[in-house]
Amino acid sequence: MKILPNRIKRLVFTALLLTTVFCFGNHSKPQKDTLKTSIISFRIKLKSNEKVRITPASLKFNKHLAYSFTLDDGYRSAYLTSFPLLNGGKISGPMIDEWKSDQGGDGTNSKGLFYSDGVGNKIPFKLGLAINGGAVGDFSAYRGHLSWAEVKEMYNAGWDILNHGFHHATKHGTNFLTEVTENTTSVQQNLGFTMSQFVVPGGESDPGYHLEYEKDALANGSFSVASYVGAGPVIKVKDKVNLDKMVYFRVFVQSSKDTIGFKTMDRYLATFDSVAKLPDPIWYNAYTHGVGNGNLWSLSMRFPDFKYFMTTIANKYGSKGDDSLWMAPWQEVYEYIWLRDRIKIRYEQKDKEAEVTIELPEIPQTFRYRAISLAIDTRAKFETESKSPDVTISDDGNTKHKLINLQFK
């Protein structure tokens, strides 16, 4: 999404903290292609007769803050710089693209940026990619956009792919429905899956064009749409969240013309700190475009800024800091909350054992994630036991005894 000029002027940091969503019930109806309701059961074996209380965690791994950051337009710098920085690997050196902009980085090796799953495993930071299928391809050594092979590699590493229209079209006469559906088909043909989230592209347009994109996307397989007006960018998730045909707003993070120091990034980070200090669990959303050494189209983050921004967040809120952060793409967080608000948990404790039964709802076939974390309230250490082949369980029963993670097949 290239942000509209008048939106830039209206981005005031203090406003971010006032924009929240309080939603109860009114869940989206399951699509026709769904997996049938199923029952999962397992046993908690406590080391003492202490009572246990079990509730779905507000966020995966029982984190306090979910941060969803998207790179719009599918520029090559996503693969050359941000992917190796976050996932670990060799960051590209300078790379001048077809538009004479440097989409490379500093050429260093990164060990990756991580948070933990709460039970001893590190997970690399992951972002979302909003791509235009018509621009993706291995056209030349100096291409400015990603290739399908690069998109696939990032997808396989846990990054999510969001629909951004086939041609990034916005001008008068655009067939918005075709933009939505052709991009869906393009990704199906080249990557083998169906996108379920949409991001409205920005640019020269007629007034209200984004409303047409929203309507056509929501009517053709998208569960939610990132646009210019909507929920967020700060969404409270302690209680049930109304995800039904959600339209949401994201913070635009970009480098300034001043290339000396990181004053602009420090302002964004100060806002991030303010959001992280909110008392209830929070879902926070942001985006940019390119992340190479050059400020592509003056709508991007220079790589030094991006590296400083992400490393600062990781050091303070990731596994090297207080580990309160779940750094995951919009789709992953959306699908977790969708499932969290629909599962039914029953448990019965007898002495040192608790039998837990979870009823899973019908899950749309286009969903990628099927996981839930359970917040455990007990003073006793515990172990979990399951004979079901349909779930993988991990827990911290012998340490903090506060968390159980469930991964459903």
Side-chain angles (χ1 to χ4, degrees), residues 11 61 116 158 220 224 228 261 272 283 299 352:
L11 278 176
F61 311 128
S116 88
N220 289 276
S224 66
Y228 294 109
F272 189 98
W283 183 12
L299 293 170
K352 296 182 181 180

Side-chain angles (χ1 to χ4, degrees), residues 48 65 67 76 104 131 148 151 158 181 183 190 248 252 288 306 312 360 372 400:
S48 70
L65 171 63
Y67 189 38
R76 197 176 179 189
I131 66 171
W148 287 114
V151 175
T181 57
N183 209 36
N190 288 281
Y248 63 99
F252 178 34
T288 195
F306 179 79
T312 302
L360 298 174
I372 282 293
K400 296 181 179 180

Side-chain angles (χ1 to χ4, degrees), residues 49-110:
N49 289 334
E50 292 287 344
K51 292 294 183 182
V52 62
R53 182 171 179 267
I54 306 170
T55 55
S58 295
L59 292 169
K60 196 174 184 180
F61 311 128
N62 205 19
K63 301 295 187 178
H64 178 72
L65 171 63
Y67 189 38
S68 297
F69 198 100
T70 305
L71 302 179
D72 283 11
D73 300 350
Y75 293 120
R76 197 176 179 189
S77 57
Y79 182 80
L80 296 176
T81 67
S82 64
F83 182 54
L85 172 68
L86 305 185
N87 202 56
K90 174 70 172 179
I91 298 168
S92 169
M95 198 290 291
I96 307 302
D97 66 15
E98 59 189 296
W99 306 303
K100 309 303 180 184
S101 180
D102 186 353
Q103 289 210 43
D106 58 13
T108 61
N109 288 302
S110 171

